[in-house]
Amino acid sequence: GMDVNCGGYIQTHGVSAYQQGKITGEDIDRALRNLFAIRMRLGLFNGNPKYNRYGNIRADQVCKKEHQDLALQAAQDGIVLLKNDAGALPLSKSKVSSVAVIGPNGNNASLLLGNYFGPPCISVTPFQALQGYVKDATFVQGCNAAVCNVSNIGEAVHAASSADYVVLFMGLDQNQEREEVDRLELGLPGMQESLVNKVADAAKKPVILVLLCGGPVDVTFAKNNPKIGAIVWAGYPGQAGGIAIAQVLFGEHNPGGRLPVTWYPKEFTAVPMTDMRMRADPSTGYPGRTYRFYKGKTVYNFGYGLSYSKYS
């Protein structure tokens, strides 16, 4: 049923499947016709490709303003406000005298890109973007990486207690979630949760937690902690993600994103990955899958997202 395989599966098993009659010569001919028709439509057989329709797309065209504006809009539109107690957000430029940016995802632009990307036209970390809003901005990594098996919580706590406001950039990275890598748990990895809680306890005001990750994470601890005033999920927002996050935090863009997946609690990992049933089965305690059929408790529901606006 497919014409091309991204990987080595067909190369490894195709001849055997043909010999066993599981695919036929007609199947192969159909796939070849489709694939080569596309290549012909692209002009790949019309002489030197550089002189054809798509042969002169240069880097300056890729990075022109309208494309960079679109990257920023995509980042803005994808940001989801999950928690905002007592109007913790947006921040006011005139009232924020100092900010401590803490966390392994706060000052590394490559972590904004996620999986499958080309070289970005710009490289601005969340910390660098926030420096444009607050002159007195400090950064403490807090963890060696998202895996957070090495931490410097003491330094992070000191920075948090010294600043007017604290923004934590936590979550996952491509060592935790990418193609061919399965996550074994749904919580924040390693010592991240401990780092967040201790920083929140030390801060003068409720802290802001920004999550950079593709899949869901169980942040019930943060959802229920009054010292964590706001939670923002930014996904992997791309090259303009740092700028978009700063604009959301300071109210220059009103977050309107909604969660594209259900966020399950940690115990959902007890469901075997190979059990593909969609509907819940009360007789066995099977909770089901996806927003349509899942009957268990959630951290946040599919489609959830707050706004700075009040509307009816």
Side-chain angles (χ1 to χ4, degrees):
M2 61 183 176
D3 296 330
V4 66
N5 162 234
C6 179
Y9 193 88
I10 290 178
Q11 291 176 332
T12 303
H13 302 290
V15 171
S16 176
Y18 176 76
Q19 291 170 343
Q20 295 177 52
K22 293 181 177 179
I23 56 174
T24 67
E26 288 75 18
D27 295 327
I28 297 170
D29 288 342
R30 185 207 68 241
L32 287 172
R33 279 194 298 270
N34 291 342
L35 293 172
F36 275 82
I38 291 292
R39 295 184 68 190
M40 289 174 182
R41 288 170 61 191
L42 290 169
L44 298 182
F45 300 102
N46 298 346
N48 189 333
K50 284 199 296 187
Y51 302 115
N52 293 333
R53 181 178 179 185
Y54 302 108
N56 60 352
I57 299 175
R58 303 178 305 277
D60 61 339
Q61 289 174 272
V62 174
C63 293
K64 62 185 180 181
K65 186 177 184 301
E66 68 176 289
H67 295 157
Q68 296 205 47
D69 288 347
L70 183 59
L72 177 60
Q73 181 187 343
Q76 292 170 335
D77 291 350
I79 292 173
V80 183
L81 182 63
L82 296 174
K83 177 182 179 180
N84 194 23
D85 287 357
L89 290 176
L91 301 174
S92 168
K93 289 175 73 172
S94 62
K95 294 180 181 178
V96 179
S97 58
S98 62
V99 64
V101 175
I102 297 171
N105 290 348
N107 200 27
N108 185 339
S110 68
L111 299 178
L112 301 170
L113 303 179
N115 205 199
Y116 291 103
F117 56 85
C121 300
I122 60 172
S123 183
V124 180
T125 73
F127 173 60
Q128 289 170 336
L130 288 170
Q131 284 180 303
Y133 291 81
V134 186
K135 288 185 178 180
D136 185 1
T138 58
F139 172 71
V140 175
Q141 189 165 323
C143 286
N144 56 328
V147 66
C148 202
N149 54 7
V150 178
S151 68
N152 190 345
I153 293 177
E155 184 183 3
V157 165
H158 175 72
S161 63
S162 304
D164 194 17
Y165 286 85
V166 175
V167 184
L168 286 146
F169 284 88
M170 314 302 285
L172 308 174
D173 61 22
Q174 295 306 293
N175 291 316
Q176 305 294 317
E177 53 176 1
R178 67 176 188 274
E179 187 168 7
E180 297 186 337
V181 173
D182 292 323
R183 293 167 60 196
L184 301 179
E185 59 178 359
L186 283 169
L188 290 174
M191 292 178 275
Q192 281 199 45
E193 185 172 327
S194 177
L195 173 63
V196 172
N197 283 329
K198 290 181 179 178
V199 164
D201 286 341
K204 298 175 184 177
K205 299 179 178 68
V207 301
I208 298 155
L209 174 61
V210 179
L211 299 169
L212 291 177
C213 52
V217 284
D218 185 346
V219 288
T220 302
F221 78 96
K223 181 180 178 181
N224 296 333
N225 187 343
K227 294 198 170 183
I228 298 173
I231 303 174
V232 174
W233 179 68
Y236 293 117
Q239 67 170 36
I243 298 168
I245 291 168
Q247 290 178 339
V248 165
L249 296 184
F250 279 89
E252 292 181 359
H253 182 80
N254 185 7
R258 301 291 184 265
L259 286 182
V261 293
T262 299
W263 282 28
Y264 301 103
K266 291 178 182 179
E267 54 267 27
F268 188 72
T269 55
V271 176
M273 190 180 291
T274 52
D275 192 334
M276 300 295 178
R277 290 177 294 164
M278 302 300 287
R279 297 182 186 276
D281 182 359
S283 66
T284 61
Y286 181 71
R289 291 182 180 273
T290 79
Y291 72 99
R292 286 194 67 188
F293 305 111
Y294 178 70
K295 300 298 184 184
K297 70 174 184 178
T298 62
V299 180
Y300 289 107
N301 292 330
F302 168 86
Y304 182 83
L306 304 174
S307 168
Y308 295 153
S309 302
K310 287 181 169 57
Y311 52 88
S312 60

